[in-house]
């Protein structure tokens, strides 16, 4: 009596897994994962960098330790680059889709109020993100690929010559422009994370009536901590640490 | 009260629209917003002008036909209220009110404030149902469903398909609408057999319609006249990953 | 007024046999279309409410090709979406003695013995299947903690047989049916045409073979051919202008069929719902219903004297200032047994009477109080909030008043129309091949519909009745070519409609469509409303044709005929209402008795109850269009009650 089910098949095996990269929902999974990965990196990076407050010895030792990880470090660095690249590609793709969905803008923009999570931070992710991206390139070029042992930035520990990164950092932040730029970018970093942190959980499908508000608040706290933690460093060097002559 | 209305006028889908200004007098606080527009239209007709077109049907907040962006907010300033249930007591004498249509490329304007939301129907056609032919059902009480699951399902099922989520979303995303439908069936045992197929196909259709992606702004929930929670968007994503991995045979 | 022309009696084609076996006998003996042939047939479904969507999906599942049309931008927005209270079914899950028989009996009695026994029994029989079907579709009916379905008693029924989904039962049922239809759309069996209004039915060799449709988006007039037409276009309550119906609900589809030969049955049977939010001003565009359940705990009253009421209206005193002794709880006073829970028509009529006496409240004097102060004292605010919280919220949203603090104001409003296209047992109209389902037909509710039974009827018609009866019809028809609309009847119809539109556009008079509609509504409300008199009806019969004439000479329709034009849309509907209104008045005038929703003041018991006249009026009045809206021909279908004993209602 009933007609045979001729419903179209669901997407094939490969297609469904690939769809994690080319459908809207799939892409958000990637932005969420990479975003959290980057947050994790930044947290660790800050923890390491805080040793700058202790003094040149501990910071340089820390940097040296990392350096001496050898191949492991390369793996981690490649991983980090991959996370950055994926994050950038997918967030740009997502943003492009978003911008393309409403050709004519509203004459008046309003806010619907609570419980909306729309904020300056949520609406500027692409801008804060792009600045962060540009910053990282400059930053890595400045520090990681900046002057090293060969250029006389060396400190001797237990008979071994360590790269004196501490001095490089300290000197860099004597420059008003560099310091100002860092402070500015660190504020943007906080802004990016303020929305990004909770958003990543939501993107991964982790919603819970009790925990989500906690995560949301935690995101704000984390954003402030990271921004303050990072921006304290350039300010500290700029105002508080006299440069020792080489 | 006397008001100044700034209204989007667009004679046809192809033509370019613009904002026009209309003063209106004699509005009372008991009028609904749409009744206020009725009054304006009567005045326009009497004076030989073309009335402002806007869509509506039930005028009691359930059919989802009405929908105006009022001062930049979809369905206007009152929480949990569709445009047709918004009353003029929310405004003050002398106010200027800007009225625009839902704006999203997936919702093309038909005329003035009327838009075409058939994209929603096409999303539903991809799986916003449980496949059961008439006459095949077993006794309704043979399948007990816990009250809590039934309630959660219901919360999602109250969506009226108005499209305010799309209109209010900075990305013009249909995630809230689509996810509400998906999660309605996620909570029900009847929905299980088609679980993966449903989420994969509905999401695919949602993308094909040209809606934006969801950046978790949550503006949709705030504008939604039924208060549909963005929890549903998270559920949709969870379901999606499970489905994609499962039908990719990485799981099971 | 000239004499009413009486035509031949008509028959409902009721199958033989014992009442409980009729439907099964029928199904066993009908023609069936061979499965392989079903796909050769195309069925045109007008309307996607509960009736239309359930029919469209069920027929498509069987293999027919379906084209479904609706006015709204999505099929999901049909007026059925607004039903709040619930849907009846004789499941007897509560073990309180319900049965098919009892539901059948209650419905016939509730209809004040003006419905067809056989149809009602079938309705009661399939009611149980509806619930099964809907639950399988995932409709989230209320459940108890054990996970089983919950029921409530509704509209004064003695058993708990109403299934409900919070206050949104219609919405959830419709979304279920809509989903089923969208599934068939995805499978290619249903094509959906939104923003379309049917303006004519095409009759070829005496059979309905197509429709003429206006595309509301582009303004184009389109033709569609098919093997049968199912009219599922809802009720005509908007003839009163103000009603609880959605703004686009209309009589046009049914009326145009009527003009092509389908008889219109019992047009004067309309239902007025007692608990609606009152009119607040001239600009009022529609009325909002509030669930009848409010009367379980709310007490209805008005001030004892006109003077107090006047002070209240002027705002000199507040409701709470009126002492207990100065209040008249008129329902409790007049109906000590049922009190505030008297049936809809009784409650409505009494509200009208006290307002006529000048004791109404609200600025307009057209409202009565529904007071929860006692309930709050007795049960506590929380309990009241638990039961009625969302209704109170809705009330406050609309009126800006807080019902916890000040009594609600309510007034009756037109809610449902029992009349509709005449159909036989097969749901077929007097035009073969044209079927009418749901509120658009007249079939099951007699002179008064019980609460929660319209949803049941719409779904019964669509899911469980028409798939059989249509099959029987189609089995005898050769399939047409659905893409061929070259028959001259199509072109004639398109030309006629274009001419009508052009004529309307060309009038360019002084009055707007809305003004005409409002004026007609007032007349209908005053003369053909809750309480009717021969005198008033005669006035209506004299004034409506005049208004109609004025309409055609003085209406102003702005804009163009092509493209979206809401005023033009409405004008076409109002034109039809102006004809239907007259027929309603005539039908009410002709029916010299009171029954159910039709109350003629001349015919009441000493207690003020509706006084039926079973000897002379136990028939369905089926009206045939004669070419002149003022001179229809009356065909009577005699009603026979073999199973239910006729009794007089009393709620004292
Ligand atoms: C506020 C309210 C509450 C109610 N509550 C209850 C309740 O609790 N329980 C209950 O049992 N009943 C209730 N009813 C009654 C019940 O909702 C309706 O009788 C029932 O839903 C009608 O369904 P339908 O399918 O016949 O028509 P509708 O749902 O009215 O659908 C009509 C369809 O026809 C289409 N249409 C109309 N004209 C045309 C045309 N010319 N061309 C093309 N398409 C057309 C429309 O677009 C729509 O799709 C309520 C009614 C109201 C007003
Ligand atoms: C390097 C350049 C970067 C760019 C271009 C960028 C861009 C973006 C954009 C546009 C989004 C929003 C995505 C959306 O709308 O759905 C986003 C989200 C996010 N970003 Fe970045 N970002 C960058 C770097 C970073 C860094 C350094 C961090 C960590 C500290 C980070 C953490 C996050 C997180 C957690 C999210 C939320 C992910 C989600 O909601 O799914 N991003 N990023
Ligand atoms: C004031 C704040 C910061 C200071 C003082 C600082 C300092 C440093 C230093 C000294 C290095 C070199 C490490 C090495 O070569 O071993 C480094 C590397 C790096 N920093 Fe920062 N950093 C800061 C903020 C940030 C921020 C906000 C980001 C990211 C958004 C970031 C991303 C990186 C990356 C990606 C590297 C390269 C790591 C590697 O390849 O091992 N830094 N940083
Ligand atoms: S989710 Fe809310 S805003 Fe979106 S369509 Fe549904 S009811 Fe409207
Ligand atoms: S507002 Fe838009 S970004 Fe997501 S949470 Fe809502 S769809
Ligand atoms: S008109 Fe129906 S929801 Fe507003």
């Amino acid at each position: 009596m009933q007609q045979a089910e001729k419903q179209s098949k669901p997407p094939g095996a490969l297609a469904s897994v690939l769809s994690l990269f080319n459908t809207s929902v799939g892409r958000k999974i990637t932005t969420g994962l990479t975003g959290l990965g980057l947050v994790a990196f930044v947290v660790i990076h800050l923890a390491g960098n805080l040793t700058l407050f202790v003094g040149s010895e501990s910071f340089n030792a820390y940097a040296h330790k990392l350096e001496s990880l050898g191949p492991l470090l390369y793996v981690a660095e490649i991983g980090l680059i991959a996370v950055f690249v994926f994050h950038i590609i997918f967030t740009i793709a997502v943003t492009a889709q978003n911008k393309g969905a409403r050709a004519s803008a509203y004459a008046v923009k309003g806010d619907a109020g609570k419980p909306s999570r729309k904020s300056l931070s949520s609406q500027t992710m692409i801008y804060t993100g792009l600045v962060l991206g540009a910053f990282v390139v400059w930053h890595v070029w400045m520090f990681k690929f900046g002057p090293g042992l060969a250029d006389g930035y060396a400190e001797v520990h237990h008979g071994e010559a360590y790269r004196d990164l501490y001095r490089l950092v300290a000197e860099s932040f004597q420059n008003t422009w560099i310091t100002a730029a860092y402070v500015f970018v660190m504020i943007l970093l906080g802004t990016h994370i303020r929305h990004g942190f909770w958003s990543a959980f939501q993107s991964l499908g982790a919603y819970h009536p009790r925990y989500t508000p906690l995560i949301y608040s935690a995101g704000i706290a984390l954003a402030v901590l990271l921004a303050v933690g990072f921006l304290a460093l350039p300010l500290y060097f700029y105002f508080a640490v006299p440069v020792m002559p080489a | 009260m006397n008001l100044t209305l700034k209204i989007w006028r667009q004679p046809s889908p192809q033509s370019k629209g613009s904002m026009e200004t209309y003063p209106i007098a004699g509005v009372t606080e008991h009028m609904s917003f749409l009744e206020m527009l009725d009054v304006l239209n009567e005045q326009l007709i009497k004076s030989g002008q073309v009335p402002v077109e806007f869509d509506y049907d039930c005028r009691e907040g359930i059919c989802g036909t009405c929908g105006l962006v009022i001062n930049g907010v979809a369905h206007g300033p009152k929480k949990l209220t569709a445009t047709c249930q918004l009353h003029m007591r929310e405004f003050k004498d002398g106010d200027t009110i800007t009225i625009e249509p839902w704006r999203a490329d997936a919702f093309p304007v038909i005329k003035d404030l009327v838009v075409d939301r058939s994209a929603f129907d096409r999303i539903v056609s991809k799986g916003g149902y449980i496949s059961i032919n008439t006459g095949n059902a077993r006794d309704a009480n043979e399948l007990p469903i816990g009250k809590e699951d039934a309630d959660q399902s219901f919360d999602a099922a109250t969506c009226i398909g108005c499209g305010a989520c799309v209109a209010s979303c900075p990305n013009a995303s249909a995630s809230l609408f689509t996810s509400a439908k998906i999660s309605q069936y996620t909570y029900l045992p009847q929905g299980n057999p088609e679980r993966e197929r449903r989420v994969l196909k509905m999401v695919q259709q949602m993308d094909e319609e040209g809606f934006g992606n969801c950046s978790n702004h949550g503006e949709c929930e705030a504008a939604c006249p039924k208060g549909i929670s963005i929890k549903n968007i998270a559920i949709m994503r969870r379901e999606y990953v499970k489905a994609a991995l499962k039908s990719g045979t990485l799981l099971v | 007024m000239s004499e009413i022309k009486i035509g031949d009696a008509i028959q409902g084609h009721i199958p033989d046999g014992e009442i409980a076996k009729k439907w099964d006998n029928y199904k066993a003996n009908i023609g069936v279309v061979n499965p392989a042939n079903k796909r050769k047939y195309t069925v045109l479904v007008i309307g996607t409410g509960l009736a239309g969507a359930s029919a469209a999906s069920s027929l498509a599942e069987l293999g027919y090709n379906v084209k479904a049309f609706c006015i709204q931008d999505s099929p999901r927005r049909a007026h059925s979406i607004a039903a709040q209270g619930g849907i009846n079914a004789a499941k007897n899950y509560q073990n309180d003695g319900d049965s098919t028989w009892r539901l059948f009996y209650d419905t016939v009695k509730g209809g004040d013995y003006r419905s067809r026994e056989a149809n009602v029994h079938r309705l009661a029989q399939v009611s149980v299947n509806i619930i099964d079907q809907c639950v399988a579709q995932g409709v989230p009916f209320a459940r108890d903690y054990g996970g089983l379905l919950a029921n409530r008693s509704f509209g004064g029924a003695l058993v708990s047989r109403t299934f409900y989904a919070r206050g949104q039962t219609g919405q959830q049922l419709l979304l279920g049916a809509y989903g089923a239809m969208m599934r068939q759309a995805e499978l290619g069996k249903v094509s959906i045409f939104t923003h379309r209004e049917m303006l004519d039915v095409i009759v070829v060799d005496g059979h309905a073979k197509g429709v003429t449709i206006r595309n509301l988006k582009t303004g184009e007039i389109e033709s569609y051919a098919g093997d049968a037409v199912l009219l599922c276009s809802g009720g005509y309550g908007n003839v009163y202008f103000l009603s609880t119906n959605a703004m686009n609900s209309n009589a046009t589809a049914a009326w145009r069929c009527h003009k092509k030969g389908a008889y219109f049955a019992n047009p004067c049977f309309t239902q007025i719902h007692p608990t609606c939010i009152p009119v607040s001003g001239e600009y009022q565009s529609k009325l909002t219903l509030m669930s009848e359940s409010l009367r379980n705990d709310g007490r209805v009253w008005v001030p004892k004297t006109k003077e107090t009421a006047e002070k209240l209206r002027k705002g000199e005193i507040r409701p709470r200032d009126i002492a207990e002794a100065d209040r008249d709880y008129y329902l409790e006073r007049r109906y000590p047994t049922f009190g505030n829970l008297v049936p809809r028509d009784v409650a409505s009529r009494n509200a009208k009477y006290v307002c006529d006496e000048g004791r109404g409240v609200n600025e307009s004097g057209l409202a009565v109080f529904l007071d929860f102060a006692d309930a709050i004292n007795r049960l506590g605010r929380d309990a009241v909030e638990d039961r009625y919280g969302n209704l109170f919220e809705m009330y406050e949203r609309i009126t800006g008043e807080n019902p916890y603090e000040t009594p609600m104001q309510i007034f009756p409003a037109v809610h449902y129309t029992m009349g509709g296209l005449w159909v036989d047992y097969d749901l077929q109209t007097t035009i073969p091949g044209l079927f009418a389902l749901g509120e658009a037909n007249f079939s099951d509710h007699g002179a008064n519909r019980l609460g929660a039974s319209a949803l049941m009827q719409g779904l019964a018609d669509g899911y469980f009745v028409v798939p059989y009866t249509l099959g029987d019809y189609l089995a005898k028809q050769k399939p047409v070519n659905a893409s061929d609309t070259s028959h001259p009847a199509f072109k004639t119809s398109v030309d006629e409609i274009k001419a009508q539109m052009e004529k309307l556009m060309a009038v360019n008079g002084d009055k707007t469509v809305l003004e005409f509609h409002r004026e007609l509504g007032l007349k209908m409300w005053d003369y053909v409303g809750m309480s009717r008199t021969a005198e008033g009806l005669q006035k209506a019969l004299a004034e409506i044709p005049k208004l109609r004439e004025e309409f055609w000479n003085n209406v102003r329709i702005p804009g163009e005929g092509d493209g979206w034009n809401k005023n033009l849309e409405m004008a076409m509907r109002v034109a039809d209402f102006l004809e239907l209104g007259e027929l309603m008045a005539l039908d009410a005038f002709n029916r010299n008795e009171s029954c159910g929703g039709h109350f003629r003041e001349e015919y009441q018991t000493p207690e003020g109850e509706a006084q039926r006249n079973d000897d002379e009026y136990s028939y369905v009045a089926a009206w045939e269009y004669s070419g002149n809206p003022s001179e229809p021909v009356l065909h009577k279908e005699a009603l026979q009650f073999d199973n239910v004993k006729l009794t007089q209602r009393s709620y004292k």
Side-chain angles (χ1 to χ4, degrees), chain B residues 35 42 45-46 57-60 63 65 85 89 116-117 121 133-135 139-140 145 159 161 190, chain C residues 58 61 72-74 77 91 93 132 135 147 178 183 217 247-248 285-286 397-398 512 515 556:
Chain B
E35 284 166 350
E42 290 291 290
I45 298 172
K46 293 265 178 187
D57 196 17
C58 73
R59 293 207 179 181
E60 53 183 80
C63 73
T65 311
Q85 287 202 310
R89 65 182 81 89
D116 179 346
R117 284 166 291 197
D121 287 331
N133 282 359
T134 305
D139 185 85
I145 301 171
C159 162
Q190 299 95 307
Chain C
S58 305
E61 285 161 13
Q72 292 80 2
D73 74 333
S74 162
R77 308 201 198 284
K91 277 286 195 186
Y93 280 159
D132 298 342
V135 166
Y178 157 76
R183 167 172 168 244
K217 230 159 89 173
M247 303 287 287
N248 291 308
S285 57
K286 79 147 290 178
R397 196 174 304 139
I398 294 171
T512 63
E515 285 172 312
R556 172 182 295 191

Side-chain angles (χ1 to χ4, degrees), chain C residues 528-541:
Chain C
V528 201
M530 289 187 262
S531 190
R532 306 156 176 183
T533 61
E535 194 191 346
L537 291 166
Q538 268 168 320
K539 272 200 197 129
L541 287 170

Side-chain angles (χ1 to χ4, degrees), chain B residues 29-31 59-60 78 84-85 87 89, chain C residues 277-278 280 284 288 290 393-401:
Chain B
E29 54 161 25
H30 293 301
M31 278 181 189
R59 293 207 179 181
E60 53 183 80
K78 195 158 163 69
C84 59
Q85 287 202 310
H87 280 70
R89 65 182 81 89
Chain C
I277 298 178
S280 67
Q284 187 91 25
T288 302
M290 288 199 303
E393 253 170 55
M394 173 170 93
Y395 181 85
E396 188 170 357
R397 196 174 304 139
I398 294 171
T399 63
E401 285 180 2

Side-chain angles (χ1 to χ4, degrees), chain A residues 30-88:
Chain A
T30 318
T31 62
L33 284 174
T34 54
L36 280 188
L38 292 175
V39 171
F41 165 76
V42 177
V43 169
I44 295 168
H45 192 45
L46 175 64
N49 286 351
L50 286 180
T51 55
L52 280 165
F53 283 123
V54 183
S56 77
E57 230 168 89
S58 22
F59 181 71
N60 287 344
Y62 158 72
H64 187 75
K65 191 89 170 228
L66 281 182
E67 206 65 37
S68 56
L69 286 174
L72 219 57
L73 181 68
Y74 289 123
V75 173
E77 280 176 346
I78 289 168
L80 185 62
I81 292 172
V83 170
F84 261 109
V85 168
F86 270 97
H87 188 75
I88 295 169

Side-chain angles (χ1 to χ4, degrees), chain B residues 116-165:
Chain B
D116 179 346
R117 284 166 291 197
S118 50
F120 273 8
D121 287 331
R122 291 188 290 273
I123 293 176
V124 171
S125 74
K126 297 295 171 182
Y129 43 76
I130 286 163
S131 298
I132 166 105
N133 282 359
T134 305
N136 281 351
R138 48 185 176 164
D139 185 85
N141 255 351
E142 258 181 44
L143 185 70
I145 301 171
K147 187 169 176 351
E148 261 134 46
D149 280 341
D151 283 349
Q152 302 264 26
S153 172
F154 203 132
D155 287 341
T158 55
C159 162
I160 59 174
C162 62
C165 42

